[in-house]
Each structure stands twice: as structure tokens, then as C-alpha cells.
Amino acid sequence: MEEARRRDIYFSFFMFTADLRPNDAAYTQVLVRHLEALTEIGYTGFDVHIAPGPAHADHHAEVESYISLRRAFDRAGFRDVKFTTNVGTTRSFDPTSPYEEQRKQALSYLKSRVDITSVLGGENTIMSGPFLYPYGIFPLTDDGEGIWSDALQDWMKPRYAAAASIFRELAQYSAEKRVKLAIEPVKNWETPGPTMVSEALDFLESADIPVCGVTIDTAQVVMESQGPAIFRKNVARAAQQSRLNYVHISAPDRGAVSDSWIPWEIMLDEIVPVYSGPYLVEVFNAIPPFESSMRMTRRRFWRPGEDAPEADVDSAYDVARTALRTLEEKIASHGRRSHP
């Protein structure tokens, strides 16, 4: 297990919440109890979602609230614990908008999320997520019909072009803050684009944004990809350009990682030799807003201290514990195959 111990393995707070509620002192204590349990299990860091807030939000006040939250974590004994963030853009904060004023608002929003990421994670942390095209927003024709296939690809081209200057400025700002950007392609029923790693890389190359990268998520790759050959090319392409900034380990059903349909050998054989950053174990629990937005039919993993225990249902901590063990074993197994 020597190679596994050298790897930072983080856990996503999507198991518990999509909103840290930084101004809620009572909820901060709930978060602290989860941090205590998960660090005891063996996780060295955590990924937290930064809720978008309303369109009229005071971004400076938002940043200040996360400064207070980080101080609360420090006082609770987590000064050395690492944090990354998950960020999405919205209809209001849309860097691909055809309207300049809206793109400027999106840039201000994204810079504030870089600031929050820096506050929580310090230097050389990561801001990941679907923060290029707004998450969950699909275009319609004037008649209210969906736009799909070739027409959708054509519709997206000017959107990517509109976002180019915004992302060049954002990337420069994040570099000054020592925050790595990692655009995460997500499934085609979550967003019209980018849905594949190759699309995110194409955008970064065509827009000439050298200091921005991508996230490779095992679930997204399995459900929305072109197969192992293209996966290998994309990993190599991202690594050669120093754009492989984050790796998420997630089951295709977004549930328990243990005994899931992750093609471990195919993925780790490509990723491990070229990636030295943290791995994130990402489990989406059947909690709001995921249960409706992702149309979850499986039962919730009960959250100690928040939900009543259920005899025949795994707890969030049990799922986290077995996921960590599984990933450590898979990385160690890769090491044995590579160095027999």
C-alpha cells in the first residue's frame, strides 16, 4: 500500500450537502462533526460545493462569510486539512452569454469563487466543476422546442467563442491566486456542453488559455465518452499540456464506489503514470437538490447526526470508508502490475 499512502485522497461533501451555509453557526458544527469522522477514516482533504447564491448577491460579503467558515474549521482542529471546491455557472452568471454585461457579471462571480477557493484551500488548491456553460440550462427554439444534435453543436460554437476572453482573464486571475482551474465535462442530460473531455480541451486550446485545465471524472467518462481509445488519447493530451488538474473517482450511478462499474485498470493505467494530484471520491447522496435534479430512485445513505439510522441502509461513513479502502487497493494493485 506504499503508493496508495503517498496519494492524497479527498472526499466530496456532496454526500452531505450542496450548500455549506457559511453564515449558519449551528450547521458549521454539523460540518465539523463530519470532518472529524472522515479524517479519522483516513481522508486527507475534502471537496465542497460553493452554492451560487442569488443574482444580486454581494460577492465580497460571500467571500467574507467563507473566511469566517475557514476560521471555524481551523479552531476545530482542521488547520492542516486541505479543501478544493466545486463551482457551477448559472443562467444569471453565464460566461457564454451573447451579452457583454452578463459575461462581465459572470466573470465577477467566477473571480469570487476563485477567492472563496483560495480562502478555503490555500495555495495550489483546485476549483473544479461545470463552470463554463451554465449547469442544467438547455437552449430552446422560438417555438419552445429543444435544440439537439448538429443544431446544438452549431448553437454552442458562438457560446464558446464568447467565453474565450472571460476565461483568459479568469485563468490569469486564478494563477495569481495560486488556484488551479479544472473544467469538468458532465453528462448530456446535465448540460449541452462541454460533455466530453475532448470538448473542454478543444475550448482551452482554441481560446489559447494555457493556465486552465480539466477534471476527469470516472462516472462522466463511462456515461458520456467515445470509448477507451479516445479516453487514452484525452488523458495523454491533457497531461502533455499540463491540463490534467483533477481526477474524480465516482461510480456511474453516482452512488457507492465499492463494487461499482468503474473500469479500474483502463483508467488507472492511463492516469496514475501522468497524474500526481489528489483523487476525489465523489458520491452523490439522495438529498436535495440531487434527488430531484438527478432523478434518484435509490435510497439515501443516512448521515450520522442528521438522519435517523436505518437498519438495512449503509451510513454515509460506511460508504466513505469502503470507498477509501477500494481506491487504495486499486492504486496499490496498479503499482504491483507496473512493478512486478
Side-chain angles (χ1 to χ4, degrees):
M1 303 290 282
E2 181 178 351
E3 185 172 2
R5 283 197 298 271
R6 289 200 302 269
R7 296 283 182 165
D8 273 325
I9 299 178
Y10 298 176
F11 191 75
S12 170
F13 261 60
F14 278 151
M15 176 66 87
F16 307 107
T17 184
D19 186 357
L20 297 182
R21 291 147 51 181
N23 292 313
D24 185 337
Y27 190 64
T28 296
Q29 294 310 305
V30 174
L31 299 176
V32 165
R33 288 194 292 272
H34 290 322
L35 290 172
E36 290 171 344
L38 292 163
T39 51
E40 180 66 25
I41 287 171
Y43 287 96
T44 59
F46 302 95
D47 187 75
V48 292
H49 182 251
I50 307 304
H56 60 274
D58 180 339
H59 296 320
H60 176 74
E62 288 182 304
V63 174
E64 289 297 316
S65 71
Y66 283 94
I67 291 174
S68 297
L69 180 64
R70 178 72 230 206
R71 287 172 178 165
F73 289 163
D74 290 348
R75 289 194 298 270
F78 300 105
R79 186 177 299 277
D80 296 327
V81 170
K82 302 170 185 177
F83 289 89
T84 59
T85 65
N86 185 288
V87 169
T89 45
T90 70
R91 190 188 297 274
S92 298
F93 303 119
D94 180 2
T96 75
S97 171
Y99 306 107
E100 183 180 6
E101 185 61 31
Q102 193 172 15
R103 294 197 300 273
K104 288 181 179 178
Q105 291 175 347
L107 177 59
S108 177
Y109 163 80
L110 286 169
K111 284 183 175 179
S112 74
R113 270 47 200 168
V114 170
D115 291 339
I116 291 170
T117 304
S118 177
V119 163
L120 291 175
E123 292 188 351
N124 298 316
T125 188
I126 305 165
M127 184 177 102
S128 178
F131 55 83
L132 177 46
Y133 182 83
Y135 181 83
I137 306 298
F138 288 83
L140 301 173
T141 67
D142 292 341
D143 296 328
E145 298 294 327
I147 300 174
W148 304 109
S149 190
D150 291 358
L152 177 60
Q153 294 295 320
D154 292 340
W155 186 89
M156 286 293 296
K157 285 180 181 178
R159 292 275 173 162
Y160 287 135
S165 63
I166 297 297
F167 267 75
R168 281 194 289 270
E169 187 170 344
L170 177 67
Q172 182 61 42
Y173 184 79
S174 67
E176 293 169 359
K177 291 285 186 174
R178 303 289 296 275
V179 171
K180 292 182 179 180
L181 297 179
I183 298 172
E184 181 181 3
V186 296
K187 298 180 296 299
N188 61 0
W189 62 86
E190 294 183 80
T191 185
T195 61
M196 292 181 284
V197 173
S198 55
E199 290 177 335
L201 291 172
D202 288 345
F203 165 74
L204 294 172
E205 290 174 10
S206 64
D208 189 23
I209 307 173
V211 288
C212 184
V214 298
T215 293
I216 289 181
D217 182 302
T218 59
Q220 308 291 3
V221 167
V222 169
M223 291 186 287
E224 185 75 18
S225 72
Q226 298 157 294
I230 298 298
F231 171 74
R232 294 185 179 99
K233 290 180 180 179
N234 282 338
V235 173
R237 179 183 173 192
Q240 288 165 3
Q241 299 176 13
S242 298
R243 296 193 194 275
L244 183 51
N245 283 354
Y246 212 0
V247 172
H248 292 184
I249 305 299
S250 188
D253 73 343
R254 314 319 300 269
V257 168
S258 178
D259 194 29
S260 67
W261 290 103
I262 296 175
W264 292 103
E265 289 190 14
I266 291 174
M267 291 185 168
L268 292 183
D269 282 354
E270 302 305 314
I271 291 170
V272 170
V274 298
Y275 178 70
S276 59
Y279 291 93
L280 175 69
V281 171
E282 189 176 56
V283 179
F284 286 77
N285 204 355
I287 56 173
F290 307 131
E291 59 186 358
S292 59
S293 66
M294 302 181 78
R295 291 168 170 76
M296 291 186 173
T297 56
R298 56 177 164 80
R299 294 185 66 83
R300 176 183 302 184
F301 304 122
W302 61 273
R303 299 163 295 176
E306 295 190 70
D307 303 316
E310 296 190 42
D312 297 324
V313 180
D314 289 334
S315 77
Y317 297 166
D318 290 335
V319 173
R321 184 178 293 106
T322 57
L324 179 62
R325 185 183 309 123
T326 297
L327 180 52
E328 288 179 334
E329 290 173 352
K330 295 299 183 181
I331 293 174
S333 176
H334 172 273
R336 289 192 293 272
R337 293 198 313 275
S338 302
H339 305 95

